[in-house]
Amino acid sequence: MVKISVLQHDLSTHLPTRPGDPTPVQRNLNPLMHPFSRARERTRALNAAKMDRMFAKPFIDSLEGHVDAVEVICRQPGSLTTLASGSWDGGIILHNLSTRNHIVKIPQAHKGKVSGLCFSETDGGKLLSCGVDRNVKLWSVSGESESLETPLNVFPGKAAFKSTPISNLTFPTSSETITSVRFNMSEPSVLASTGSDRTFTLYDIRTGKAERRIIMQMQTNALAWSPTFPTTVLMASEDHNLYTFDIRKLDTPSMIYKAHVAAVMSCDWSPTGTEFVSGGWDRTVRIWKEGKGHSPEVYHTKRMQRVTSTVFSADARFVISGSDDGNVRIWKSKASEKLGVVTARERAAMEYREKLKERWMVDKDVERVVRFVNIFLFDAPFAQINQANQQTQGDDAGCKKGQRREEKTAYAFWGKQTQAGEEEGGHCRTNVKIIFNPWSSLYWTLEVHSKVFYMVMSSG
């Protein structure tokens, strides 16, 4: 009698457990059976790094409405979409990031520029603003637009609040202007300040005095406390660098971040605490990894001018920047991230590519592609140089034509003749010079027909 053996497999092991999940694949993990697995994996890692650069489109949109430079930006606590911005024109605008419309617009909130904005932590519908007119104003941004013409309260004068202060914190030997103040997120009795005298000072409300103080090499423009490490503080300096300090040991910075080529004007931590954003007078927005002091992500557009304020969104997916051109711009924190609905299969593929890049970062080709930044910081100057070169070629052709005329006739038509090929009152030869600026290593000048063009030379 013939016996027949049947091999039976469970169907559930070959089908996805839920709709949308990837189909299970049976694999033999024995490395001897796959001699080319490492070569294939390296090729996949290199392709993943290239695809990230190919699909890197960080810019999303620009929020208009201000007619002058945007000085300060703050996000509303507990909201993913509400954002407030203040400008040099004295106006305040509340933006909705999802619809990209204006929720509230107060055109003349202050006389002069708005220097500070802050939402109430307990009541998100209250907004505090201050300006160079030496007034602090309280606004209600949750009502109708008609009720926003006048603030709820105005605190005028040199001392804004006339009631007795809870604590008066003063460093005995300091008489300079305080430029920024930030409370610690985990310890509300500890706050830090920076001043125009290049100082960074830590205060304790419980003792009512300054606890520690250091003097930097140059002035600090902004500071931010880490949301995940309460003892870490980030500072943006005039010397083109950012510094992180551990307040338990202020002798030396824990890390120095170098990439900006001009003064850093703003900084803000991501809610995850793993990265932060900075903006400066070099017209760039840079996103840094915490603990990595070089090679940040660089965002820039042709029309964006000096960046004065930067902030992360509450979900850490977007970066918002304000600049001198009066625009509030929205960027993706990850340049190649896909917006919209992402299926489980797409998410698994993206996570696999990220792990491949992390594993193969030791490979020089993969590292070169990951570190490559395809950005042009000198669009306008290069366009002017090309235009100058074209004008130079045209002038040279005109001079040759004039020389041929001089050979035929002894009369100079273009003015008093001085030397062969030159003339007074005309410009046969274009004077092109490259001149080094002795005051800064960042600027060069190009002189064409008494016109001076400036080029910002990046050292990164």
Side-chain angles (χ1 to χ4, degrees), residues 13-183:
T13 60
H14 300 277
L15 294 178
T17 56
R18 293 177 300 180
D21 288 352
T23 303
V25 179
Q26 303 297 329
R27 296 177 180 175
N28 187 355
L29 301 180
N30 184 7
L32 299 178
M33 299 297 294
H34 305 278
F36 301 105
S37 60
R38 287 185 60 84
R40 287 198 301 264
E41 191 175 79
R42 178 189 177 278
T43 303
R44 290 174 183 172
L46 186 60
N47 291 338
K50 291 179 180 179
M51 287 177 63
D52 276 353
R53 288 306 173 191
M54 289 169 58
F55 295 101
K57 296 181 179 179
F59 180 71
I60 298 177
D61 201 359
S62 178
L63 307 179
E64 300 179 353
H66 292 292
V67 297
D68 209 336
V70 179
E71 176 69 16
V72 61
I73 295 176
C74 69
R75 64 173 182 263
Q76 186 178 20
S79 176
L80 294 175
T81 58
T82 306
L83 186 85
S85 62
S87 174
W88 283 32
D89 58 6
I92 298 175
I93 299 178
L94 259 70
H95 306 273
N96 190 313
L97 297 182
S98 60
T99 61
R100 300 164 195 174
N101 295 327
H102 295 169
I103 303 175
V104 173
K105 185 174 182 180
I106 311 173
Q108 295 295 330
H110 288 270
K111 295 181 180 178
K113 78 172 182 179
V114 179
S115 57
L117 287 175
C118 180
F119 278 97
S120 172
E121 292 289 341
T122 57
D123 185 3
K126 299 294 189 299
L127 178 67
L128 275 168
S129 67
C130 61
V132 295
D133 56 357
R134 300 168 68 178
N135 289 333
V136 178
K137 297 184 180 182
L138 179 64
W139 308 85
S140 175
V141 294
S142 59
E144 298 295 333
S145 299
E146 289 77 7
S147 62
L148 296 173
E149 296 298 331
T150 57
L152 296 178
N153 205 342
V154 180
F155 307 97
K158 183 177 181 180
F161 301 95
K162 296 182 179 179
S163 60
T164 304
I166 300 175
S167 179
N168 187 5
L169 306 176
T170 306
F171 198 82
T173 61
S174 178
S175 60
E176 297 294 330
T177 303
I178 294 178
T179 56
S180 60
V181 178
R182 291 290 184 273
F183 275 94

Side-chain angles (χ1 to χ4, degrees), residues 199-217:
T199 58
F200 167 74
T201 311
L202 285 174
Y203 301 91
D204 195 334
I205 296 178
R206 295 166 294 187
T207 60
K209 63 179 182 179
E211 298 295 335
R212 297 181 183 179
R213 184 179 187 231
I214 60 173
I215 300 178
M216 305 290 291
Q217 292 292 331

Side-chain angles (χ1 to χ4, degrees), residues 70-367:
V70 179
E71 176 69 16
V72 61
I73 295 176
C74 69
R75 64 173 182 263
Q76 186 178 20
S79 176
L80 294 175
T81 58
T82 306
L83 186 85
S85 62
S87 174
W88 283 32
D89 58 6
I92 298 175
I93 299 178
L94 259 70
H95 306 273
N96 190 313
L97 297 182
S98 60
T99 61
R100 300 164 195 174
N101 295 327
H102 295 169
I103 303 175
V104 173
K105 185 174 182 180
I106 311 173
Q108 295 295 330
H110 288 270
K111 295 181 180 178
K113 78 172 182 179
V114 179
S115 57
L117 287 175
C118 180
F119 278 97
S120 172
E121 292 289 341
T122 57
D123 185 3
K126 299 294 189 299
L127 178 67
L128 275 168
S129 67
C130 61
V132 295
D133 56 357
R134 300 168 68 178
N135 289 333
V136 178
K137 297 184 180 182
L138 179 64
W139 308 85
S140 175
V141 294
S142 59
E144 298 295 333
S145 299
E146 289 77 7
S147 62
L148 296 173
E149 296 298 331
T150 57
L152 296 178
N153 205 342
V154 180
F155 307 97
K158 183 177 181 180
F161 301 95
K162 296 182 179 179
S163 60
T164 304
I166 300 175
S167 179
N168 187 5
L169 306 176
T170 306
F171 198 82
T173 61
S174 178
S175 60
E176 297 294 330
T177 303
I178 294 178
T179 56
S180 60
V181 178
R182 291 290 184 273
F183 275 94
N184 191 294
M185 295 183 179
S186 63
E187 185 57 58
S189 61
V190 176
L191 63 105
S193 70
T194 59
S196 58
D197 54 353
R198 302 179 286 116
T199 58
F200 167 74
T201 311
L202 285 174
Y203 301 91
D204 195 334
I205 296 178
R206 295 166 294 187
T207 60
K209 63 179 182 179
E211 298 295 335
R212 297 181 183 179
R213 184 179 187 231
I214 60 173
I215 300 178
M216 305 290 291
Q217 292 292 331
M218 297 187 72
Q219 178 180 331
T220 301
N221 295 319
L223 63 90
W225 291 95
S226 173
T228 54
F229 299 97
T231 59
T232 302
V233 62
L234 172 68
M235 291 187 287
S237 177
E238 285 276 351
D239 61 359
H240 311 175
N241 299 330
L242 293 105
Y243 300 88
T244 52
F245 281 90
D246 192 333
I247 60 175
R248 297 169 295 183
K249 186 179 180 182
L250 292 175
D251 298 335
T252 57
S254 57
M255 181 61 69
I256 303 176
Y257 300 86
K258 298 182 178 182
H260 282 280
V261 294
V264 188
M265 301 304 297
S266 63
C267 59
D268 184 56
W269 284 94
S270 167
T272 60
T274 58
E275 54 187 2
F276 59 89
V277 62
S278 64
W281 277 30
D282 56 0
R283 303 181 296 169
T284 61
V285 175
R286 300 175 188 257
I287 300 178
W288 308 76
K289 296 293 183 181
E290 196 273 334
K292 184 179 179 182
H294 58 86
S295 303
E297 290 287 340
V298 185
Y299 296 162
H300 176 75
T301 62
K302 291 182 179 181
R303 295 177 177 84
M304 186 168 69
Q305 300 303 311
R306 296 176 296 190
V307 181
T308 54
S309 56
T310 51
V311 66
F312 259 99
S313 63
D315 56 357
R317 294 184 60 195
F318 305 101
V319 170
I320 299 94
S321 66
S323 54
D324 274 355
D325 54 17
N327 288 327
V328 177
R329 291 179 172 84
I330 308 174
W331 313 81
K332 291 187 289 187
S333 60
K334 295 182 179 179
S336 58
E337 182 183 5
K338 178 184 176 182
L339 298 180
V341 179
V342 179
T343 62
R345 189 168 186 173
E346 290 177 332
R347 187 172 298 279
M350 289 188 293
E351 292 176 355
Y352 175 66
R353 289 196 295 266
E354 288 294 328
K355 290 297 182 182
L356 279 179
K357 289 191 299 181
E358 292 179 7
R359 181 175 180 180
W360 286 92
M361 274 295 291
V362 294
D363 187 83
K364 63 178 182 179
D365 293 333
V366 177
E367 183 187 11

Side-chain angles (χ1 to χ4, degrees), residues 238 240 260-263 280-283 305-306 377-378 381 433-446 452-459:
E238 285 276 351
H240 311 175
H260 282 280
V261 294
W281 277 30
D282 56 0
R283 303 181 296 169
Q305 300 303 311
R306 296 176 296 190
L377 297 180
F378 333 105
K433 298 179 182 178
I434 300 293
I435 306 172
F436 176 72
N437 188 350
W439 303 109
S440 173
S441 61
L442 305 176
Y443 294 93
W444 298 72
T445 59
L446 174 67
V452 179
F453 305 108
Y454 292 88
M455 292 187 296
V456 182
M457 306 302 292
S458 173
S459 60

